[in-house]
Amino acid sequence: MREPLPELIPLEAIWAARTRIANAALRTPLIRLPGTTAPEIWLKLECLQPVGSFKIRGARNALGALDPGALTQGVYTASAGNMALGLAWSARELGLPCTAVVPEHAPAAKLSKLEELGARLVRVAFERWWQVLREHRFENVEGRFIHPVADVAVMAGNGTIGLEILEELPQVDTVLVPFGGGGLSCGIASALAGMRSRAQVVACEIETATPLRTSLEAGMPRTVERTPSFVDGIGGVGILPEMWPLIQRLIDSDAVVSLTEAANAIRTLVERVHVVAEGAGAVPVAAALSGRVPGRVICCVISGGNLDTSVLVEILAGA
């Protein structure tokens, strides 16, 4: 039986993760979005990590926290792309085989990068992929399963982003984080709470699938219908029950943006700061620009930049 998750990722675990991942993950730039004064909008550019996503932090920390004897058969995860990329990159550095169980909608840009990193891909229907996340296992793959969300070491690695934000922007009022399963937002929120910051954490979703908004309104984890879109890094069908206590304690509020707002945010990032963000990474910027979130100093976590070129072209052309 799995041990329940704590209601707060310990600050000492996040500091330990910072040391453990120092030679793998970049300390990414924190820059101000030009033209924003009231509120100030700042960008934490995790899209510049070696695998184009923040996921390298949690993946590398999870592997480093395990006894090497537990990894003799390699590692695997279930991911729409970015966690698999982080794990594959880290596994290659450690000389471990890696398998990624990916859903049928996983974008080509992420899958091609996984193959370049030497990962074995197992493609399954979305419903089967979601079952792997719920059960924390996939019977057809050998090795140690690294959960992309509900894993203390993964969330501690994610929490190192919060430490970096506070060091460079101590006056931050609000941190906007894309919400997929809660591993990123809860990791960052744990770091902020541990450092006694008063900054609020706002979890951001896309209108095509809002399990967090639906669950918060119901007061318990709920499943929702989802519509696939170019925002593939978030927008699942539900909240994992084991994550619910963490989410309830750590997430201050939520924001939902439209596909049009997300596309406009991608275009804004390209035009103003010459940065490509994938849909999930642009959602916090869309929320900040909407004027629907509180705060005078807002930090948006640009979680990833693995966007299919064809999608980027359509968005820049205004299609």
Side-chain angles (χ1 to χ4, degrees), residues 21-66:
I21 70 174
N23 294 327
L26 299 177
R27 183 186 179 105
T28 52
L30 179 64
I31 65 172
R32 187 165 170 178
L33 181 63
T36 59
T37 55
E40 296 178 15
I41 298 176
W42 292 76
L43 312 172
K44 181 61 170 167
L45 299 177
E46 287 295 295
C47 52
L48 300 182
Q49 290 290 358
V51 296
S53 159
F54 77 96
K55 292 286 191 177
I56 193 172
R57 294 177 184 259
R60 185 64 185 86
N61 188 53
L63 293 188
L66 290 169

Side-chain angles (χ1 to χ4, degrees), residues 9-174:
I9 306 304
L11 183 61
E12 56 267 28
I14 299 173
W15 281 112
R18 180 168 175 157
T19 299
R20 198 174 283 126
I21 70 174
N23 294 327
L26 299 177
R27 183 186 179 105
T28 52
L30 179 64
I31 65 172
R32 187 165 170 178
L33 181 63
T36 59
T37 55
E40 296 178 15
I41 298 176
W42 292 76
L43 312 172
K44 181 61 170 167
L45 299 177
E46 287 295 295
C47 52
L48 300 182
Q49 290 290 358
V51 296
S53 159
F54 77 96
K55 292 286 191 177
I56 193 172
R57 294 177 184 259
R60 185 64 185 86
N61 188 53
L63 293 188
L66 290 169
D67 187 301
L71 303 175
T72 55
Q73 292 184 303
V75 292
Y76 73 100
T77 192
S79 165
N82 282 338
M83 180 60 179
L85 286 168
L87 191 63
W89 190 94
S90 301
R92 187 181 66 172
E93 293 295 300
L94 297 174
L96 299 170
C98 177
T99 298
V101 181
V102 299
E104 55 197 356
H105 73 280
K110 295 176 181 178
L111 296 181
S112 63
K113 288 182 179 180
L114 279 170
E115 291 175 335
E116 290 174 9
L117 289 169
R120 173 193 171 212
L121 302 184
V122 178
R123 293 176 172 86
V124 297
F126 182 88
E127 292 75 16
R128 181 68 184 93
W129 178 80
W130 176 248
Q131 184 181 355
V132 177
L133 291 182
R134 288 184 61 88
E135 296 179 353
H136 293 234
R137 66 185 181 87
F138 186 64
E139 64 276 6
N140 297 319
V141 176
E142 293 184 342
R144 179 66 176 252
F145 181 68
I146 307 296
H147 200 286
V149 177
D151 183 295
V152 171
V154 168
M155 286 188 275
N158 298 341
T160 60
I161 298 171
L163 298 181
E164 293 174 13
I165 291 172
L166 287 180
E167 288 169 350
E168 297 185 43
L169 195 66
Q171 72 274 28
V172 64
D173 296 315
T174 307

Side-chain angles (χ1 to χ4, degrees), residues 193-277:
M195 296 296 289
R196 301 188 183 281
S197 169
R198 295 186 178 181
Q200 295 186 45
V201 174
V202 177
C204 302
E205 294 186 293
I206 191 69
E207 63 179 351
T208 50
T210 57
L212 178 61
R213 170 66 61 86
T214 303
S215 298
L216 290 174
E217 290 175 347
M220 64 182 69
R222 293 291 194 188
T223 58
V224 298
E225 295 293 328
R226 61 179 288 276
T227 302
S229 73
F230 69 87
V231 183
D232 57 84
I234 59 175
V237 296
I239 302 293
L240 294 170
E242 63 267 35
M243 289 295 297
W244 185 240
L246 267 170
I247 291 167
Q248 284 189 302
R249 174 173 178 176
L250 293 171
I251 304 305
D252 294 291
S253 60
D254 71 306
V256 176
V257 305
S258 69
L259 287 172
T260 298
E261 288 174 317
N264 289 340
I266 290 173
R267 191 178 303 112
T268 295
L269 290 170
V270 170
E271 293 174 347
R272 295 194 195 179
V273 294
H274 316 296
V275 165
V276 173

